[in-house]
Amino acid sequence: MSETVFKQVNYTLSSLVDSIELGNIGLPDIQRPFVWKNAKVRDLFDSMYRGYPVGYLLFWQNALSEGVRTIGLDKKQRAPGLLIVDGQQRLTSLYAVVKRIPVTRANFQKEQIRIAFNPLQEKFEVTDAAIERDKSYIPDISILWSKDTDMFEVVDNYLSELKKSREVTSEEEKKIKKSISKLQNLLSFPFTALELSPEIGEEDVADVFVRINSKGTPLNQSDFILTLMSVFWDEGRSQLEQFCRDARQPSIKGPSPFNYFIKPEPDQMLRVCVGLGFKRARLQYIYSLLRGKDLDTGQFSDERRVAQFEILKKAQERVLNLQYWHDFMHCLRYAGFRSDKMISSRNTLLFSYVLYLMGRTEYKVEEFRLRRVIARWFFMASLTGRYTSSPESALEFDLARFREVKDAEQFVSILERACELAMPEDFWTITLPNDLATSSPQSPSLFAYHAALVLIEAKALFSNQKVADFLDHVSQGTKSGVERHHLFPRAYLSKIGITEKRDINQIANYTLVEWGDNIKISDQSPAEYLSTFKTRFGRDELNQMYQWHALPENWEQMQYREFLEARRVLIARVIQKAYQILTAEKKGEIAQTSVSIDKMVETGESTYIEFKSTLRMNLHTGVKDPKMELAVLKTIAGFLNTHGGTLMIGISDDGTVLGIAGEGFENEDKMSLHLVNLIKDRMGPIFLPFIHIRFEDYKDNRVMIVECTKAKSPVYVKDGTIERFYIRTGPSTSELTASQIQDYIKQRFSP
């Protein structure tokens, strides 16, 4: 016969309640959310009264049951020798009713479980107002097990009240006394428990639970750790749960963790604590460490357990710090996000909080700088779905980056480099447009676009009010301030034969409009309703609105599928432009992006602005000329190596608009791709995140705008076999000599 990993132990209800009260059985605090409905508690007592079996209990023997110390203040007389694996709801029900202790529901509201009993009918009910008035019921059976209760007095009081409403025969009186006595004697009801050996691990315990309880909720690593907290640091678990409870609704008494982004659960906040304290995302080994287990020898140690809990305790102090919590929320707002309706992944939010706390409390990154880099990280992680698939593995990989980090500069540099690697130029031009080809209302790319509209201070389509104003939680009416509007209305698409929801509800067919305008548009075709709304604005205002909302020129006349494809590319550019705002170190570095072409041409060439007549065509010979391309690359490199700036192609040195029609490209995408390839080949692809290309109308011509932000490393331009180094010197671009390059790089790029 094979050796078993459990033993059978018999209890009575009385001994179970006493063991819980003494702390030998580790029942989690009665204040934790209780999921059983009262009717199920009623049925449990009814089954016990009738002598039916009510299932066995599954305990796990604690490897450290003798002489162990708990952490913090605790009412328990000793650390539990048994941890509950299965049967917690039953034990909570029994303990709460027998001891008359309120439970806490999932909404964190306290409730006294009141079970009524009719001695004549031997019937149990959940107490309500009708039962309360019915004198045939004892409204709360808990009174039978109170230490202060005199059973004779209970029976006499019950009979006295019952006789006021009806006659009671002597036979009925005997039955009443017998039934009440039988109920009171449930303290002797037998229970069978299986106690698992302390030698088996938590994975084996979870496996046992699943095998014997197919209808139960599967156990996970956080369940075990929270149970350990109940055993050795109950105060800490209570703090976690109180924090989550307070985060669910606004406080009228003072500071609280309430916010509009997340209502966290205790196990989620526990993950943040573990990530911060142990720099681990996988909980697989943390449970064993907190039990005081040496992973090499397999031996348990009380001292080791206390030391590991101290690490967790210090981490939790930071995690639950209200000032840190709300300062982190400012990072999300800085990234353009405004509420939980824009959050596609709670893991992304919580894991970003881990990094924020590391930067603030361990590497002492200045708050101004930290907010920017965490906002950038959150935007990137949300948009790319970094923590959507295998979140533990992804965070474990990210946390591993910081194990050798010594200071703030290294910390920030690692985050920024990871962002650059996650979103190279082909992400913006290929990956993101493809990701936008979806009808999912929870798409990360959709939420990133809405955040982008906030960042670039865009107004809602056909509105004079900013998108950010509508998304903020200032007030709420029967309708939202803005609604997602089908640019090609559903009814109109149906008329032209497009009826599939997936086609109609494409992200590229949605934009944000005021709800009143959405009603006015109804099922009109784009050409019909656009003529009405255009009258609200001038040409420049409409052009700006078209850029914000990624609308191609003459979009209302386009074929639907052609429109979707074109708009996805433009949405990706809007998101990229917004992300550029988060990458700029100083506000001045992005100021030029919001200046109109008219204003830049009027100002003329400067340190930050330069005009080029052409990208590749020699206007004197009328043929393609590599010298023209080199001139463009020189200017871009000069901007990157200095303070950033804007290059405008299609405008001559004196400000005369020439346009780009003579460049000979099939379309603007081909022209943009040509410049991107030039940059990749002759400057390097790592600098593409600092370069942003777009096209705009100017005086009946199209011009190419190349916006550059300050690069973080030196940029060279290949000219044949020679690498040249350029900087901006006033309104011109200058090449430096070898000795000048060395001095300049020391001054410009040194940490």
Side-chain angles (χ1 to χ4, degrees):
M1 181 177 178
S2 61
E3 185 178 348
T4 62
V5 297
F6 69 92
K7 64 180 179 180
Q8 180 177 314
V9 181
N10 295 320
Y11 292 88
T12 63
L13 175 57
S14 178
S15 63
L16 281 173
V17 170
D18 288 345
S19 294
I20 292 169
E21 194 164 36
L22 288 171
N24 187 46
I25 294 177
L27 180 67
D29 195 309
I30 203 74
Q31 297 302 316
R32 298 205 169 91
F34 176 68
V35 299
W36 265 21
K37 295 184 181 298
N38 287 349
K40 203 163 184 179
V41 180
R42 175 202 64 197
D43 294 343
L44 174 61
F45 275 92
D46 183 66
S47 294
M48 292 168 60
Y49 183 84
R50 297 176 186 279
Y52 297 166
V54 292
Y56 51 79
L57 305 169
L58 185 63
F59 297 146
W60 185 16
Q61 294 181 63
N62 180 11
L64 291 170
S65 59
E66 296 298 328
V68 297
R69 292 176 283 137
T70 57
I71 295 174
L73 298 175
D74 201 321
K75 297 178 182 178
K76 294 184 174 70
Q77 297 180 28
R78 56 177 174 171
L82 297 170
L83 308 181
I84 300 173
V85 177
D86 188 22
Q88 180 177 317
Q89 296 296 310
R90 275 173 288 163
L91 281 181
T92 300
S93 302
L94 296 168
Y95 188 73
V97 173
V98 171
K99 289 298 180 180
R100 206 173 193 178
I101 296 174
V103 296
T104 302
R105 292 297 181 183
N107 61 1
F108 293 102
Q109 296 297 313
K110 289 186 177 181
E111 178 189 336
Q112 186 85 43
I113 301 176
R114 301 182 73 219
I115 305 299
F117 178 65
N118 187 321
L120 282 171
Q121 297 180 0
E122 296 183 277
K123 181 180 180 183
F124 292 85
E125 289 289 356
V126 176
T127 303
D128 57 20
I131 294 291
E132 195 81 54
R133 293 190 299 269
D134 190 340
K135 301 304 180 183
S136 64
Y137 280 90
I138 297 174
D140 187 354
I141 62 175
S142 297
I143 193 174
L144 300 179
W145 301 294
S146 171
K147 291 181 180 179
D148 300 325
T149 294
D150 182 327
M151 284 301 298
F152 295 106
E153 187 177 344
V154 170
V155 174
D156 289 344
N157 289 340
Y158 173 79
L159 288 170
S160 175
E161 291 298 316
L162 183 60
K163 288 175 181 178
K164 291 178 182 179
S165 61
R166 52 163 289 190
E167 290 186 4
V168 180
T169 67
S170 59
E171 288 301 317
E172 287 178 328
E173 192 168 328
K174 287 180 183 178
K175 183 173 183 181
I176 288 169
K177 292 178 180 179
K178 184 178 179 181
S179 298
I180 294 176
S181 178
K182 180 180 177 181
L183 176 58
Q184 199 272 339
N185 286 332
L186 284 185
L187 290 177
S188 301
F189 187 87
F191 283 87
T192 297
L194 304 180
E195 295 182 2
L196 297 173
S197 166
E199 303 304 320
I200 68 173
E202 63 274 12
E203 291 184 3
D204 291 326
V205 173
D207 188 36
V208 170
F209 177 85
V210 170
R211 287 170 183 255
I212 67 175
N213 188 3
S214 60
K215 294 183 179 179
T217 302
L219 299 180
N220 54 47
Q221 299 291 342
S222 61
D223 291 328
F224 287 112
I225 295 177
L226 287 169
T227 298
L228 269 190
M229 290 180 72
S230 296
V231 174
F232 297 114
W233 185 35
D234 200 47
E235 179 186 2
R237 177 165 176 172
S238 295
Q239 290 170 356
L240 268 182
E241 289 166 340
Q242 185 63 48
F243 183 92
C244 296
R245 182 182 300 125
D246 293 342
R248 291 181 175 269
Q249 56 187 10
S251 170
I252 58 175
K253 297 180 180 178
S256 84
F258 175 79
N259 64 91
Y260 288 105
F261 290 103
I262 187 172
K263 293 178 175 59
E265 298 294 338
D267 64 312
Q268 294 174 327
M269 299 307 295
L270 172 66
R271 285 187 174 275
V272 177
C273 296
V274 168
L276 181 63
F278 297 96
K279 302 299 179 289
R280 296 284 183 181
R282 294 191 181 96
L283 302 183
Q284 179 179 358
Y285 300 115
I286 302 301
Y287 179 81
S288 294
L289 291 174
L290 291 177
R291 290 180 72 201
K293 184 178 182 180
D294 186 312
L295 298 181
D296 294 324
T297 66
Q299 298 299 309
F300 290 91
S301 162
D302 186 26
E303 289 72 20
R304 188 179 298 109
R305 175 184 57 76
V306 171
Q308 298 294 356
F309 261 103
E310 281 300 323
I311 294 174
L312 182 64
K313 184 176 182 179
K314 290 177 181 178
Q316 184 166 303
E317 287 176 3
R318 290 179 282 164
V319 170
L320 303 188
N321 183 297
L322 289 180
Q323 192 61 53
Y324 295 163
W325 177 248
H326 287 293
D327 285 348
F328 168 69
M329 296 302 163
H330 293 318
C331 298
L332 307 187
R333 292 183 60 83
Y334 190 91
F337 293 79
R338 287 297 182 265
S339 73
D340 58 348
K341 294 180 180 178
M342 299 173 69
I343 305 296
S344 59
S345 166
R346 286 186 169 192
N347 283 332
T348 299
L349 187 154
L350 294 165
F351 293 169
S352 297
Y353 186 39
V354 174
L355 297 175
Y356 171 83
L357 290 171
M358 288 172 57
R360 178 161 181 165
T361 64
E362 296 175 15
Y363 301 111
K364 309 302 180 185
V365 183
E366 180 194 11
E367 182 67 20
F368 179 85
R369 188 181 187 191
L370 182 62
R371 181 173 299 167
R372 178 185 62 82
V373 74
I374 294 298
R376 178 181 176 185
W377 177 272
F378 180 75
F379 193 102
M380 176 278 294
S382 296
L383 178 56
T384 60
R386 191 177 189 87
Y387 301 118
T388 301
S389 177
S390 303
E392 278 193 353
S393 299
L395 181 61
E396 189 79 20
F397 176 79
D398 287 334
L399 290 175
R401 303 168 186 265
F402 301 101
R403 288 174 189 155
E404 303 300 325
V405 170
K406 304 298 183 185
D407 55 36
E409 286 301 321
Q410 285 183 297
F411 176 80
V412 172
S413 177
I414 286 174
L415 287 179
E416 291 181 334
R417 181 60 177 158
C419 288
E420 291 169 10
L421 292 173
M423 297 192 295
E425 184 60 28
D426 61 2
F427 171 82
W428 301 106
T429 57
I430 300 173
T431 305
L432 184 53
N434 286 335
D435 287 346
L436 287 162
T438 178
S439 59
S440 171
Q442 298 296 314
S443 168
S445 52
L446 173 63
F447 295 146
Y449 176 52
H450 290 168
L453 293 176
V454 172
L455 286 170
I456 63 177
E457 300 183 353
K459 296 176 181 177
L461 187 62
F462 309 134
S463 173
N464 57 8
Q465 195 162 352
K466 292 180 180 178
V467 168
D469 296 337
F470 291 114
L471 296 181
D472 271 325
H473 280 266
V474 178
S475 62
Q476 186 172 352
T478 54
K479 285 186 172 290
S480 300
V482 286
E483 295 180 341
R484 289 202 307 160
H485 156 67
H486 288 92
L487 289 162
F488 282 69
R490 183 186 294 106
Y492 168 74
L493 289 175
S494 181
K495 291 177 184 177
I496 61 174
I498 299 173
T499 57
E500 291 291 331
K501 281 188 177 181
R502 188 187 184 285
D503 296 328
I504 294 171
N505 295 335
Q506 285 285 303
I507 286 176
N509 191 32
Y510 278 119
T511 196
L512 297 175
V513 301
E514 292 193 44
W515 69 268
D517 289 340
N518 199 19
I519 292 175
K520 290 178 184 176
I521 290 170
S522 186
D523 59 354
Q524 298 179 73
S525 72
E528 288 177 298
Y529 70 75
L530 192 58
S531 60
T532 301
F533 287 102
K534 272 185 174 180
T535 60
R536 294 180 177 180
F537 308 99
R539 178 180 173 83
D540 290 342
E541 288 178 299
L542 277 174
N543 286 340
Q544 180 63 78
M545 199 163 281
Y546 272 35
Q547 288 178 30
W548 286 333
H549 292 274
L551 296 173
E553 190 69 25
N554 297 318
W555 64 273
E556 70 277 14
Q557 304 296 339
M558 297 174 72
Q559 295 294 316
Y560 180 59
R561 299 191 189 282
E562 177 190 3
F563 161 76
L564 293 178
E565 188 173 344
R567 189 165 185 249
R568 288 176 193 130
V569 173
L570 295 178
I571 290 176
R573 290 178 186 170
V574 172
I575 298 173
Q576 184 182 24
K577 180 178 179 180
Y579 181 70
Q580 175 194 352
I581 295 173
L582 299 177
T583 64
E585 292 187 6
K586 299 181 180 65
K587 198 72 173 176
E589 293 177 9
I590 60 170
Q592 71 271 13
T593 64
S594 59
V595 178
S596 69
I597 297 180
D598 280 325
K599 188 68 175 177
M600 286 192 284
V601 173
E602 181 183 334
T603 302
E605 293 185 317
S606 66
T607 302
Y608 295 99
I609 299 173
E610 180 156 331
F611 307 140
K612 291 293 181 188
S613 300
T614 178
L615 171 61
R616 67 176 183 179
M617 299 297 292
N618 187 317
L619 300 184
H620 298 290
T621 63
V623 297
K624 299 172 187 175
D625 188 342
K627 293 179 181 178
M628 302 297 104
E629 295 173 338
L630 177 60
V632 168
L633 295 177
K634 284 169 55 177
T635 300
I636 293 173
F639 283 140
L640 294 174
N641 284 326
T642 316
H643 303 295
T646 301
L647 170 63
M648 306 174 69
I649 299 175
I651 298 177
S652 65
D653 292 345
D654 62 4
T656 302
V657 59
L658 303 175
I660 57 174
E663 295 285 355
F665 290 100
E666 182 181 339
N667 52 50
E668 291 174 358
D669 285 340
K670 298 289 187 183
M671 184 174 180
S672 176
L673 183 61
H674 181 75
L675 178 55
V676 166
N677 287 334
L678 284 175
I679 294 168
K680 283 183 178 178
D681 294 341
R682 302 180 64 176
M683 293 166 60
I686 65 170
F687 300 108
L688 286 171
F690 305 97
I691 302 167
H692 307 278
I693 303 168
R694 73 177 194 273
F695 297 87
E696 290 194 18
D697 290 318
Y698 181 59
K699 292 186 177 179
D700 299 322
N701 285 276
R702 295 287 283 175
V703 295
M704 181 185 229
I705 311 295
V706 184
E707 295 172 341
C708 305
T709 55
K710 185 170 70 173
K712 299 186 182 301
S713 57
V715 182
Y716 293 86
V717 177
K718 291 179 184 177
D719 183 12
T721 59
I722 302 172
E723 288 193 336
R724 303 185 184 277
F725 189 87
Y726 300 96
I727 64 170
R728 291 293 288 179
T729 51
S732 61
T733 302
S734 302
E735 182 179 2
L736 299 187
T737 64
S739 60
Q740 290 173 327
I741 292 172
Q742 188 174 6
D743 291 339
Y744 183 82
I745 289 176
K746 275 185 182 178
Q747 177 187 4
R748 161 71 171 81
F749 296 102
S750 60

